[in-house]
Amino acid sequence: MSNDFYTTLGVPKSASQEEIKKAYRKLAHQHHPDKQHGDENKFKEINEAYQVLSDPNKRSQYDQFG
């Protein structure tokens, strides 16, 4: 995906783990496929971004290599 994970979650690169989790929960709830106007593709994108940014090792690699 061409989107930047930080942009996907709407957080700055300096965001704390708590800020990332809060942004993820809000967006996941908003775009959940089971909701009336849910968007499965957007939901998957949000999940992928969270999987990387919520893991300190993966986040470090992502920040270094993209």
Side-chain angles (χ1 to χ4, degrees):
M1 299 191 180
S2 61
N3 253 353
D4 172 58
F5 288 157
Y6 292 100
T7 304
T8 299
L9 293 180
V11 295
K13 277 194 168 202
S14 60
S16 68
Q17 289 297 321
E18 193 56 41
E19 290 171 305
I20 289 169
K21 182 188 277 188
K22 191 174 178 181
Y24 164 73
R25 286 188 173 161
K26 180 182 174 192
L27 289 169
H29 181 74
Q30 189 178 334
H31 295 286
H32 197 283
D34 291 345
K35 292 195 67 152
Q36 186 172 1
H37 297 289
D39 182 340
E40 188 173 351
N41 290 331
K42 183 73 175 164
F43 185 72
K44 287 179 180 176
E45 199 176 305
I46 292 162
N47 265 320
E48 183 183 7
Y50 182 68
Q51 292 303 316
V52 172
L53 298 182
S54 66
D55 180 313
N57 292 333
K58 289 180 185 175
R59 183 177 179 181
S60 174
Q61 282 186 328
Y62 177 76
D63 287 346
Q64 197 170 1
F65 305 111

